[in-house]
């Protein structure tokens, strides 16, 4: 018999401690700012009057054909299409493969710039939101964050105090051995972030405070010497390839694979389709594989109420040991509750 859904309040005492890690996903970002949702990103990426890259008519036709606004689904489909064409000998018609690459790269660039443009400004976030977020995440030993936005970074640094956490950057450069392994929160941006970029072999972090980070992002991305460390790949295989090509991301991913602590999975970080009926819902299978491989002591998994709850629970019980799982209502957690939402104009 499947387990029942409980509120976070009923189980929080067992998980809010330094023996627990938190895997936090886009559901948190959207709970704070709904313009991070796929539909909003698609709308922004379709605009031609914002400068930079935007979705072409061909790009939008691909989205329409697939009946989605999900960038990951479109990019995954293009990646698979290219692989199939190569198997069928499309090298003899290289213009086809080139066309697929062009569309993939343009959709990818459009997504990255759309995230930056829809991002809530620092000045529009009330101090109490930063305080709530920081208070909640500092309860854990490790934070594995899969979104690209600045909400976690801003919250941790909003009060001017950099105590209580480590992110393995010394000044502004990634140094694997720069953090002392103590009880302070260890932060890992599993899929990169707007504030991270690479210059040659170096992985760097923008350390400007507040609003200046978004402005510096715009300046950096116009310089060919700098590349944003930002996951914008489709299939989990492409994501894993991207991770392996970055010393920082590979380090962060391996820490998730080695995590044997208790684990809270919040905000749908695996980006599973809400109904679980989408056959292409394994965009983040590499994260699921890492969780299964690490075999944490026990796992608390958030479930959304905008899908078949029983089906979501059944799915999780099918991929993990049912005896080691607790299921809780996502909106009952302070980081995804309606009370944390900021309304877009």
């Amino acid at each position: 018999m499947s387990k029942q859904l409980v509120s976070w309040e009923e189980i929080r005492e067992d998980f809010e401690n330094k023996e627990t890690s938190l895997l936090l996903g886009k559901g948190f970002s959207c709970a704070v700012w709904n313009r991070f949702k796929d539909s909003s990103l698609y709308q922004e990426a379709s605009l031609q009057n914002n400068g930079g890259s935007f979705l072409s008519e061909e790009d939008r036709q691909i989205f329409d054909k697939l009946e989605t606004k999900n960038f990951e689904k479109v990019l995954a489909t293009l990646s698979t299409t290219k692989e199939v064409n190569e198997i069928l000998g499309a090298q003899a018609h290289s213009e086809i493969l080139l066309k697929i690459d062009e569309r993939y790269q343009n959709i990818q660039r459009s997504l990255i710039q759309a995230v930056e443009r829809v991002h809530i400004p620092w000045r529009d976030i009330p101090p109490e939101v930063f305080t709530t977020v920081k208070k909640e995440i500092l309860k854990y030993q490790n934070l594995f964050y899969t979104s690209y936005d600045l909400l976690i970074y801003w919250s941790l640094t909003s009060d001017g105090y950099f105590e209580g956490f480590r992110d393995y950057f010394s000044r502004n450069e990634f140094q694997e051995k720069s953090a002392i392994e103590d009880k302070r929160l260890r932060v890992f941006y599993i899929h990169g972030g707007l504030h991270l970029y690479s210059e040659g072999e170096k992985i760097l972090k923008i350390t400007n405070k507040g609003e200046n980070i978004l402005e510096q992002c715009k300046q950096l991305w116009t310089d060919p010497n700098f590349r944003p460390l930002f996951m914008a790949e489709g299939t989990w295989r492409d994501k894993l390839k991207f991770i392996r090509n970055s010393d920082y991301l590979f380090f962060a991913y391996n820490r998730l694979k080695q995590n044997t602590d208790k684990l809270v999975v919040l905000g749908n970080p695996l980006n599973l389709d809400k109904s679980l009926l989408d056959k292409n819902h394994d965009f983040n299978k590499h994260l699921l594989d890492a969780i299964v491989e690490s075999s944490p002591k026990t796992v608390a998994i958030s479930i959304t109420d905008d899908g078949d709850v029983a089906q979501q629970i059944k799915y999780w019980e099918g991929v993990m040991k049912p005896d080691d799982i607790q299921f809780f209502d996502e909106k009952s957690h302070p980081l995804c509750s309606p009370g944390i939402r900021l309304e877009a104009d």
Side-chain angles (χ1 to χ4, degrees):
M1 180 177 178
S2 294
K3 292 189 176 182
Q4 299 299 307
L5 199 64
V6 300
S7 72
W8 177 247
E9 191 62 35
E10 294 178 68
I11 62 173
R12 67 186 305 165
E13 188 174 337
D14 293 331
F15 289 95
E16 289 183 349
N17 52 61
K18 291 300 181 178
E19 297 177 354
T20 304
S21 296
L22 173 63
L23 177 61
L24 186 62
K26 190 176 179 180
F28 156 70
S29 307
C30 295
V32 176
W33 186 242
N34 60 14
R35 291 201 68 197
F36 285 130
K37 291 183 177 180
D38 288 317
S39 57
S40 180
L41 290 172
Y42 175 82
Q43 182 179 18
E44 183 65 33
S46 299
L47 298 177
Q48 301 182 25
N49 59 351
N50 282 339
S53 298
F54 57 87
L55 297 176
S56 68
E57 178 61 30
E58 283 184 323
D59 297 333
R60 295 194 297 274
Q61 287 178 12
I62 296 172
F63 278 85
D64 291 343
K65 187 68 176 179
L66 295 174
E67 298 181 340
T68 187
K69 296 294 191 294
N70 188 315
F71 282 81
E72 284 182 302
K73 182 174 182 177
V74 171
L75 292 170
T77 300
L78 287 172
S79 180
T80 302
T81 300
K82 182 180 178 182
E83 290 175 359
V84 171
N85 274 276
E86 288 174 336
I87 292 172
L88 298 177
Q91 287 88 341
H93 303 280
S94 58
E95 68 276 5
I96 295 176
L97 299 180
L98 180 61
K99 190 72 171 178
I100 295 173
D101 279 339
E102 288 176 349
R103 300 279 48 86
Y104 189 100
Q105 292 168 14
N106 190 67
I107 292 172
Q108 194 178 54
R109 287 193 300 268
S110 299
L111 169 61
I112 294 173
Q113 294 185 23
V115 170
E116 179 269 321
R117 289 196 297 260
V118 305
H119 203 293
I120 183 172
W122 162 278
R123 63 179 179 274
D124 291 347
I125 303 178
E128 56 267 27
V129 171
F130 285 141
T131 300
T132 296
V133 174
K134 184 170 185 176
K135 174 186 175 183
E136 289 299 322
I137 61 179
L138 285 182
K139 295 174 181 177
Y140 300 94
Q141 181 63 85
N142 298 293
L143 169 63
F144 301 100
Y145 194 49
T146 66
S147 293
Y148 330 113
D149 58 72
L150 298 169
L151 295 177
I152 290 297
Y153 182 59
W154 275 350
S155 296
L156 286 171
T157 60
S158 61
D159 55 9
Y161 295 99
F162 293 76
E163 300 298 322
F165 72 95
R166 293 284 185 270
D167 62 5
Y168 296 88
F169 283 82
S170 179
R171 295 184 181 272
N172 70 330
E173 184 175 352
F174 167 57
Q175 299 287 343
E176 180 176 338
K177 297 181 180 180
S178 64
I180 300 171
E181 298 296 329
D182 55 19
K183 290 299 183 180
R184 300 179 190 187
L185 173 71
R186 298 188 284 261
V187 183
F188 304 94
Y189 299 98
I190 295 284
H191 287 168
L194 287 172
H195 63 306
L196 303 180
Y197 65 101
S198 61
E199 179 185 11
E201 297 297 318
K202 294 189 295 184
I203 305 298
L204 303 169
K205 178 179 72 175
I206 299 174
T207 55
N208 283 354
K209 294 182 179 179
E211 191 76 12
N212 291 331
I213 293 181
L214 288 175
E215 187 59 38
Q216 192 167 342
C217 285
K218 298 177 186 177
Q219 297 173 6
L220 284 174
W221 294 348
T222 62
D223 190 326
N225 295 313
F226 303 120
R227 292 182 295 109
L229 190 62
F230 184 112
M231 181 72 75
E233 306 295 336
T235 68
W236 68 270
R237 291 183 180 86
D238 289 336
K239 286 183 170 71
L240 196 53
K241 186 184 301 182
F242 187 85
I243 286 171
R244 287 170 173 164
N245 286 330
S246 166
D247 288 343
Y248 171 75
L249 296 183
F250 191 58
F251 163 73
Y253 179 66
N254 278 334
R255 292 301 290 262
L256 177 61
K257 289 175 65 177
Q258 297 162 10
N259 176 66
T260 58
D261 294 339
K262 291 185 288 185
L263 180 67
V264 175
V265 180
L266 177 65
N268 197 18
L270 304 187
N271 199 22
L272 297 176
D273 186 88
K274 294 296 190 297
S275 68
L276 300 178
L277 298 177
D278 187 342
K279 294 180 181 179
N280 192 24
H281 65 251
D282 61 347
F283 305 125
N284 288 326
K285 181 177 177 294
H286 60 295
L287 297 178
L288 179 60
D289 288 345
I291 296 172
V292 173
E293 180 178 331
S294 65
S295 188
K297 296 174 183 176
T298 185
V299 183
I301 299 173
S302 68
I303 300 293
T304 61
D305 60 4
D306 54 351
D308 188 322
V309 171
Q311 192 176 29
Q312 292 179 68
I313 292 176
K314 183 178 179 181
Y315 170 84
W316 278 108
E317 290 181 331
V319 297
M320 301 189 72
K321 299 176 182 177
D323 293 342
D324 299 333
I325 305 176
Q326 294 269 11
F327 298 101
F328 66 95
D329 177 7
E330 180 173 287
K331 292 181 180 178
S332 69
H333 194 286
L335 291 175
C336 289
S337 71
I340 204 172
R341 179 178 299 281
L342 302 174
E343 296 299 332
D345 294 331

